[in-house]
């Protein structure tokens, strides 16, 4: 969906207010002081006594919470940031207390903005990481009653041994706060790499990127258009972003990716709450935890607003939303939110610090500081500057990507299948169309198309924004023959290994297939991948009659992800996948 630059500039100015608000407000209704632990636990037990049991069902990126006795008369559909998966216990409590079923659809921040731009679709509420995405997307003025549910800062999570090596932590986990320039120096010296979400696709990435720019500008004031024209500043930020070893369109998936392979990925930029959650999983698996590092010269804070989307649902839906919102703001829900590392007090203070689980979530051995002393917010720029900065990130400052598109052109793709693939490639690689979703290729990017049937075509390479020849081939290539995705993947792996050796890229393989593949080349590919020893994910797009078992095996092997393109707009799935590299 097109987002004219003039409109983005006009509404992005609200970002200044939205991010700053996160430092000034916590969970609505949450008290700023806490009583004794005994009194708190007694109040919690009394509240929980009136709460019904809740069933939770998960299917892909959708999670349904409903009363176990089937008594729900109303179901609220929520377009939610992926980071809210960690709030499951608070959501269960709210559903059990109100009897309202909640259907959570987890997606990226840009997707939530798209939902609102499209008139809210069939969602009753939105719950993004930041108010920015509501402000930028609510062009139809259908959002109201927005209320912050919690706050969490965007921080560096760094493996404890690595942080000690860098001089930013001691054996007890207590950390210092390096400046952004010191973090940049560690990247330039080859001492630090980190995973980070895309600044144009995810709130955590956007927030971190703006903080990097502001801190490195060396001024006390907010970032300006003149700063963005400063070659020395932009060069420094590009150098810092060269330390990105994995990108993502989702903060929650980034956390899962790091937890799955902590030896390869020793640092990430993410929400403090997700670093805390990652540490629980790491320690349970016998790995060392990360420590939280707060840059000394400024961070951004997420305000996690829950808001009603009014497109004529009626009083029953509105009353159900209000009941859920109030339940999430009461003492029991805020306790559950803080138990997963969210901050629910004014200024970022932890309200339920005496609770054992809250104390564990804000574990000082992980470098987490539960008071607000480390939450120094950056002076935020004007809306026009934010818009310019995001465009500059995508077209010039982000680390170049090397993406290999391994695409099924077997006979079963004839007709709608091929048309969907071509439309998807156009959305991801045509500079004009891709710019509408802020995923346009920059001049350092490399995209390679590898069509396959029962044989593999010669790769077609496009450098930078010159993708016309690649797209022409994608349109004209006939769909005919059998399906052998493993031989196509072997061709991609050879090129990926060379790209990794050349350096300077985030490298990924995107696989799209609509059927079950022949397997005679499977073992050879798996052995070659394991022997290569490279961190190259496979992002698989499942379409038609594709075998999820085959694709999930590739996801596990490569620490990648499988996207379901069997329902909805296949072109939109391609856009989403491109946001991961």
């Amino acid at each position: 969906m097109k987002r004219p630059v003039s409109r983005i500039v006009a509404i992005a100015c609200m970002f200044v207010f939205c991010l700053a608000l996160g430092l000034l407000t916590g969970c609505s209704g949450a008290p700023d002081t806490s009583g004794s632990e005994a009194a708190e636990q007694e109040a919690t037990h009394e509240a929980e006594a009136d709460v019904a049991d809740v069933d939770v069902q998960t299917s892909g990126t959708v999670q349904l919470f409903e009363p176990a006795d089937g008594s729900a008369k109303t179901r609220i559909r929520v377009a939610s940031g992926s980071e809210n998966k960690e709030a499951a216990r608070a959501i269960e409590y709210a559903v059990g207390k109100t009897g309202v079923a909640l259907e959570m659809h987890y997606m990226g921040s840009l997707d939530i903005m798209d939902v609102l731009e499209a008139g809210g679709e069939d969602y009753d509420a939105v719950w993004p990481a930041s108010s920015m995405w509501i402000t930028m997307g609510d062009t139809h003025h259908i959002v109201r009653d927005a209320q912050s549910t919690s706050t969490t800062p965007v921080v560096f999570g760094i493996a404890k041994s690595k942080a000690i090596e860098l001089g930013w932590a001691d054996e007890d986990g207590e950390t210092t706060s390096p400046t952004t320039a010191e973090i940049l120096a560690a990247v330039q010296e080859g001492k630090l790499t980190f995973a980070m979400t895309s600044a144009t696709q995810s709130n955590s990435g956007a927030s971190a990127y703006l903080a990097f720019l502001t801190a490195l500008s060396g001024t006390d004031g907010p970032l300006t258009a003149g700063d963005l024209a400063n070659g020395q500043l932009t060069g420094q930020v590009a150098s810092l972003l060269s330390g990105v070893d994995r990108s993502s369109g989702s903060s929650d998936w980034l956390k899962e990716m790091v937890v799955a392979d902590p030896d390869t990925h020793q640092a990430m930029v993410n929400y403090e709450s997700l670093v805390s959650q990652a540490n629980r999983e790491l320690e349970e698996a016998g790995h060392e935890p990360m420590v939280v590092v707060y840059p000394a010269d400024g961070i951004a804070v997420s305000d996690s607003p829950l808001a009603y989307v009014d497109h004529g649902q009626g009083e029953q839906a509105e009353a159900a939303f209000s009941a859920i919102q109030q339940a999430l703001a009461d003492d029991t829900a805020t306790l559950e939110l803080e138990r997963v590392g969210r901050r629910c007090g004014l200024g970022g203070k932890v309200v339920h610090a005496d609770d054992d689980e809250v104390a564990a979530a804000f574990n000082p051995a992980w470098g987490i500081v539960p008071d607000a002393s480390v939450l120094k917010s950056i002076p935020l720029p004007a809306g026009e500057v934010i818009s310019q900065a995001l465009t500059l990130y995508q077209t010039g400052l982000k680390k170049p990507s090397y993406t290999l598109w391994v695409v099924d052109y077997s006979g079963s793709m004839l007709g709608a299948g091929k048309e969907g693939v071509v439309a998807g490639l156009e959305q991801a690689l045509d500079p004009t169309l891709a710019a509408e979703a802020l995923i346009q290729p920059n001049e350092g990017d490399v995209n390679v198309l590898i069509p396959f049937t029962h044989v593999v075509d010669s790769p077609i390479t496009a450098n930078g924004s010159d993708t016309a020849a690649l797209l022409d081939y994608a349109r004209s290539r006939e769909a005919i023959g059998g399906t052998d995705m493993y031989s196509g993947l072997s061709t991609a792996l050879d090129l990926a290994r060379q790209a990794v050796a050349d350096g300077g890229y985030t490298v990924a393989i995107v696989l799209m297939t609509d059927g079950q593949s022949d397997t005679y080349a499977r073992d050879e590919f798996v052995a070659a991948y394991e022997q290569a020893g490279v961190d190259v994910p496979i992002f698989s797009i499942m379409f038609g009659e594709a075998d999820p078992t085959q694709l999930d095996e590739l996801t596990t092997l490569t620490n990648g992800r499988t996207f379901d393109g069997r329902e909805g707009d296949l072109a939109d799935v391609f856009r989403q996948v491109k946001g991961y590299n």
Side-chain angles (χ1 to χ4, degrees):
M1 182 172 299
K2 190 169 184 179
R3 284 176 284 277
V5 172
S6 60
R7 178 164 59 78
I8 292 178
V9 169
I11 59 182
C13 60
M14 289 298 294
F15 186 31
V16 174
F17 170 76
C18 296
L19 286 184
L21 182 64
L23 283 175
L24 300 177
T25 62
C27 304
S28 294
D32 191 36
T33 60
S34 57
S36 68
E37 183 176 358
E40 183 175 272
Q41 290 177 345
E42 181 180 353
T44 299
H45 292 157
E46 289 176 355
E48 291 176 345
D50 297 327
V51 175
D53 291 336
V54 173
D55 281 340
V56 182
Q57 302 174 40
T58 302
S59 177
T61 58
V62 179
Q63 220 171 14
L64 174 63
F65 299 79
E66 58 183 348
D69 60 6
S71 61
K73 295 181 180 179
T74 306
R75 178 184 297 190
I76 299 296
R77 289 169 52 87
V78 183
S80 170
S82 61
E83 68 283 342
N84 287 326
K85 291 178 183 178
E86 69 182 11
R89 293 200 309 194
I91 295 171
E92 285 186 47
Y93 164 75
V95 168
K97 180 178 180 179
T98 63
V100 175
L102 272 188
E103 187 175 298
M104 303 288 289
H105 291 250
Y106 298 111
M107 60 188 72
S109 298
L110 192 73
D111 298 308
I112 294 174
M113 186 170 74
D114 284 344
V115 164
L116 293 175
E117 285 188 328
E121 299 179 1
D122 57 352
Y123 294 102
D124 302 293
V126 290
W127 192 355
S130 168
S131 299
M132 173 182 71
W133 305 102
I134 294 177
T135 304
M136 294 184 71
D138 188 25
T139 56
H140 299 280
H141 307 293
I142 55 177
V143 175
R144 55 190 177 84
D145 300 329
Q147 187 168 285
S148 174
T149 59
S150 63
T151 60
T152 186
V154 178
V155 299
F156 277 83
I158 304 176
K160 183 177 178 179
S161 59
K162 171 61 70 172
I164 292 173
E165 175 189 319
L166 291 167
W168 300 342
D170 61 21
E171 293 290 346
D172 295 327
E174 184 174 351
T175 60
T176 61
S177 292
T179 65
T180 306
E182 289 172 329
I183 296 171
L184 168 61
V187 170
Q188 291 174 327
E189 293 167 8
K191 297 178 180 178
L192 177 66
T193 61
F194 56 94
M196 174 178 153
T197 62
S198 166
T200 61
Q201 304 301 306
S202 168
N203 181 71
S204 63
S207 300
Y209 166 65
L210 291 172
F212 295 160
L213 277 167
T214 304
L216 290 171
S217 69
T219 63
D220 294 330
L223 198 70
T224 66
D227 292 325
L228 296 179
N230 182 329
Q232 180 178 357
L233 171 61
T234 57
Q236 286 180 313
V237 173
S239 183
L240 177 54
L241 294 174
S242 72
V244 174
D245 56 23
R246 272 284 195 106
S247 185
S248 168
S250 162
S251 303
D252 187 69
W253 184 83
L254 189 80
K255 182 267 297 181
E256 294 174 359
M257 183 272 299
V258 170
V259 169
D261 190 4
D263 293 333
T264 299
H265 302 286
Q266 293 192 305
M268 68 174 174
V269 173
N270 214 327
Y271 300 113
E272 177 190 62
S273 58
L274 288 181
V275 176
S276 175
Q277 183 175 328
N279 279 346
R280 298 183 193 206
E281 297 175 29
L282 287 168
E283 291 192 336
E284 287 175 4
H287 298 293
E288 72 168 339
M290 293 180 284
V291 292
V292 171
V293 172
Y294 307 89
D297 37 10
I299 57 178
V301 177
S302 161
D303 64 338
S304 189
L306 177 62
Y308 184 62
V309 179
D310 186 357
H311 44 83
Q313 303 97 306
E315 294 181 0
Q316 184 175 358
E318 185 174 356
F321 167 82
S322 179
I324 286 288
Q325 190 177 58
Q326 291 177 31
L328 285 171
D330 76 18
D331 196 60
T332 301
T334 59
L335 174 61
E336 294 295 357
L337 288 169
E338 291 199 336
R339 283 173 171 173
V340 293
R342 304 278 186 103
R343 296 170 181 255
C344 286
L346 295 177
K349 180 180 177 181
V350 176
V351 177
H352 303 281
D354 291 336
D355 178 78
D356 289 342
E357 287 189 54
V358 172
F362 291 88
N363 188 347
W366 298 340
I368 299 178
V369 180
D371 60 40
S373 62
V374 293
L375 304 185
K376 180 191 175 189
S377 63
I378 59 171
L380 294 170
E384 298 89 345
V385 178
I386 294 171
S387 178
Q388 293 171 27
L390 292 177
T391 300
L392 180 61
Y393 167 87
Q394 185 64 32
T395 59
L397 300 189
K398 79 175 186 70
K399 189 174 183 177
S401 64
Y402 194 109
T403 308
L404 299 121
W405 301 85
V406 182
V407 179
D408 188 348
Y409 273 82
S410 62
S412 60
M413 290 292 292
L414 185 64
K418 177 186 169 183
E419 292 170 2
V421 167
V422 170
L425 289 170
E426 289 172 340
Q427 288 290 327
L429 300 180
D430 179 276
T432 301
L433 294 176
E436 295 172 6
L438 287 175
I439 56 171
Q440 64 267 43
N442 69 32
E443 292 311 309
D445 287 350
V446 178
N447 286 280
V448 182
L449 176 65
I450 304 175
F452 70 90
T453 57
H454 58 285
V455 294
V456 183
D457 290 9
S458 297
I460 299 92
T461 301
N463 293 297
S465 59
D466 186 11
T467 59
L470 183 154
L471 291 173
D472 284 344
Y473 188 90
R475 298 182 191 103
S476 63
R477 208 291 186 192
E478 185 179 8
I480 188 171
T483 305
D484 174 20
M485 70 182 185
Y486 295 104
S487 292
L489 290 171
S490 292
T491 299
L493 179 60
D494 289 341
L495 295 173
R497 283 190 294 192
Q498 185 58 54
V500 171
D502 291 343
Y505 299 105
T506 57
V507 183
I509 297 170
V510 179
L511 169 68
M512 189 278 172
T513 183
D514 79 331
Q516 186 171 25
S517 175
D518 294 333
T519 58
Y520 60 84
R522 173 198 169 278
D523 292 347
E524 181 180 354
F525 168 73
V526 171
Y529 187 91
E530 291 175 339
Q531 185 177 4
V534 293
D535 178 41
V536 176
I538 295 178
F539 298 122
S540 301
I541 301 175
M542 183 164 47
F543 182 64
E545 301 301 319
D547 184 350
T549 302
Q550 290 182 328
L551 300 185
D552 289 344
E553 179 187 43
L554 295 170
T555 293
T556 301
L557 174 69
T558 69
N559 202 6
R561 180 174 180 180
T562 300
F563 295 80
D564 194 344
R566 292 173 296 182
E567 298 181 3
D569 186 357
L570 185 60
D572 185 64
V573 175
F574 272 77
R575 179 203 62 76
Q576 184 181 2
V577 172
K578 188 65 184 77
Y580 276 64
N581 199 46

